Amino acid sequence: MAQFDVIVIGCGAVGSAALLHLAKAGKRVLGIDRFQPPHKFGSTHGETRITRAAIGEGVDYTPLAQRSHVLWRELERETGARLFEQCGCLFIPSQDGGEVHGVSSAQFFANIETAARLHGVDGETLSSEQLRAAFPAFATAANDRAFLDREGGYLMVEDCVRAELAVAARHGAELVTGRRVTAFRRAAGALVVTLDGATASADTLIVTTGPWITELIAPLRRRVNVTRQVLYWFEVLSHPERFGPDAPVFIWDVTGRDRAASDIYGFPWLGSPDNGVKIANEVLTGETDPDDVAREVTPDEIAATYETYVRPFVPDLGPRCLRSEVCLYTNAPGGRFIIDRDPGDADVIYASACSGHGFKHSPAVGEALAAMARGETPRVDLSGFTLDRLAAADPA
């Protein structure tokens, strides 16, 4: 293969965005993916992903989210695709010491309020009475409160990746799919990647392989773990209007109520209530292998999820699961991102883990990686996401 300016390995959420921005900048760029993106084997599938602007994982994420919202709208205008539905995002914290993405529920809520204040996010804190009156779909308890982020909503996940790759190709990017990169090395001043027996070379590599990141970036092998997540679409039994197009997406930390031990999140129905409501609970314990993860969702798994995480909290939904999907989280301590240069070669740039909340930020992260590859300063400050920062906060 020919010499490129940049090779992007892994063309899911972040990789497709980096490919797009590099191609638009006139760089000769190659994207490589072991599958056919968008695909169902990693973290970028299952119809929708939540986006929000007041970020509970940390105030430093909000500039990434706000920049990403701008970039999603630009991509919509450029492609004519419907990608971002701004229906709002409702967050309800636990009263019993829960945790969301490595942050205590109480701190997560405080971070949301701080981010909204510092960055001018359109939103408001709702009292228990306001929450119950405005959102009767949720069986909230006395003293529950919430924050409504009106800049939030959901993204059409596969369509987003498809649109980014199409625009990248339109600007000259090349894409090789169904090929796995097994290694990279320095040779004659270039970075040479090996993919299923063939080679390609570039001045710079960007590695955005999600749950496979540790295959190529050795320093992350003791820093990240991969967990299996299941997405469910449950039937609507009553009050379909409560989950209609104007309903917000939601994240609700139900830890400590009944048998619940995590947060749940969900979406409005898409198209028709007959398609069901997508809802899931996050599983951040245990570890799986991305190549051997159980892709089948069993009837017992569905029944247990409904009884523990759906029926007690969203009683308008019924036990019949219309469909399900398995996806993967690549997690770092504290739910942080890791965006850095490989200590062995500064021309190798990587981004992972996304810790279960990365898709919303992916356009801005991809734009930033493209800037780093061009030797420029990213528009959004990424200094808080280096491996050294993670190590200092959580030494292994």
Side-chain angles (χ1 to χ4, degrees), residues 301-322:
E301 201 172 1
I302 292 168
T305 298
Y306 178 76
E307 288 301 321
T308 305
Y309 290 101
V310 180
R311 184 182 58 79
F313 307 109
V314 196
D316 288 314
L317 302 185
R320 186 165 62 99
C321 182
L322 306 180

Side-chain angles (χ1 to χ4, degrees), residues 169-189:
R170 195 180 304 156
H171 286 270
E174 297 184 37
L175 181 64
V176 172
T177 60
R179 305 287 291 275
R180 176 177 169 233
V181 173
T182 56
F184 64 83
R185 59 186 171 84
R186 273 281 175 190

Side-chain angles (χ1 to χ4, degrees), residues 150-370:
R150 295 190 182 91
E151 295 181 23
Y154 62 87
L155 301 156
M156 304 301 296
V157 59
E158 289 96 345
D159 290 342
C160 288
V161 172
R162 195 175 289 115
E164 286 175 320
L165 291 176
V167 173
R170 195 180 304 156
H171 286 270
E174 297 184 37
L175 181 64
V176 172
T177 60
R179 305 287 291 275
R180 176 177 169 233
V181 173
T182 56
F184 64 83
R185 59 186 171 84
R186 273 281 175 190
L191 284 159
V192 179
V193 302
T194 303
L195 56 160
D196 297 336
T199 60
S201 61
D203 299 324
T204 304
L205 299 184
I206 294 176
V207 183
T208 49
T209 51
W212 294 275
I213 190 74
T214 58
E215 291 182 350
L216 296 175
I217 306 298
L220 295 187
R221 288 175 188 158
R222 57 192 177 91
R223 291 294 179 188
V224 305
N225 73 296
V226 178
T227 55
R228 175 181 181 267
Q229 310 293 320
V230 183
L231 314 174
Y232 304 88
W233 284 256
F234 283 103
E235 65 179 332
V236 180
L237 286 183
S238 57
H239 299 292
E241 72 282 357
R242 293 177 175 176
F243 308 96
D246 294 330
V249 300
F250 67 91
I251 305 169
W252 184 2
D253 187 0
V254 295
T255 301
R257 289 189 55 182
D258 296 327
R259 294 170 292 163
S262 74
D263 60 292
I264 58 176
Y265 65 93
F267 299 78
W269 46 255
L270 269 62
S272 163
D274 294 338
N275 295 324
V277 166
K278 179 183 171 184
I279 191 168
N281 68 291
E282 294 190 303
V283 179
L284 301 179
T285 57
E287 190 164 2
T288 192
D289 185 310
D291 292 317
D292 297 321
V293 62
R295 296 283 175 184
E296 179 184 359
V297 182
T298 67
D300 286 349
E301 201 172 1
I302 292 168
T305 298
Y306 178 76
E307 288 301 321
T308 305
Y309 290 101
V310 180
R311 184 182 58 79
F313 307 109
V314 196
D316 288 314
L317 302 185
R320 186 165 62 99
C321 182
L322 306 180
R323 59 180 282 217
S324 61
E325 296 275 3
V326 170
C327 73
L328 301 170
Y329 281 3
T330 309
N331 308 289
R336 297 294 290 176
F337 294 173
I338 310 176
I339 304 169
D340 210 342
R341 296 180 184 271
D342 192 312
D345 195 320
D347 291 326
V348 178
I349 305 165
Y350 63 88
S352 197
C354 289
S355 297
H357 60 106
F359 192 88
K360 73 181 73 60
H361 302 292
S362 59
V365 173
E367 181 185 52
L369 295 177

Side-chain angles (χ1 to χ4, degrees), residues 10 16 18 20 30 106 122 149 173 194 198 210 236 285 288 291 303 313 323 376 378-379 382 388:
S16 61
L20 179 156
L30 171 67
D122 181 11
D149 178 348
T194 303
V236 180
T285 57
T288 192
D291 292 317
F313 307 109
R323 59 180 282 217
E376 300 172 3
R379 177 188 292 260
L382 301 180
D388 284 348

Side-chain angles (χ1 to χ4, degrees), residues 51-56 58-59 61-67 69 86 88-89 111-125 147-153:
T51 186
R52 40 199 166 91
I55 306 298
V59 173
Y61 290 94
T62 287
L64 280 173
Q66 292 182 316
R67 177 61 184 161
H69 286 177
Q86 191 175 339
C89 177
N111 288 345
I112 287 174
E113 292 186 310
T114 300
R117 184 177 68 254
L118 290 178
H119 296 286
V121 176
D122 181 11
E124 67 173 315
T125 300
F147 188 92
L148 179 61
D149 178 348
R150 295 190 182 91
E151 295 181 23

Side-chain angles (χ1 to χ4, degrees), residues 17 20-21 24 64-77 83 164 361-368 379:
L20 179 156
H21 288 287
K24 280 189 168 184
L64 280 173
Q66 292 182 316
R67 177 61 184 161
S68 291
H69 286 177
V70 171
L71 292 172
W72 290 127
R73 291 306 190 200
E74 287 181 1
L75 188 60
E76 285 183 323
R77 289 191 294 272
L83 305 174
E164 286 175 320
H361 302 292
S362 59
V365 173
E367 181 185 52
R379 177 188 292 260

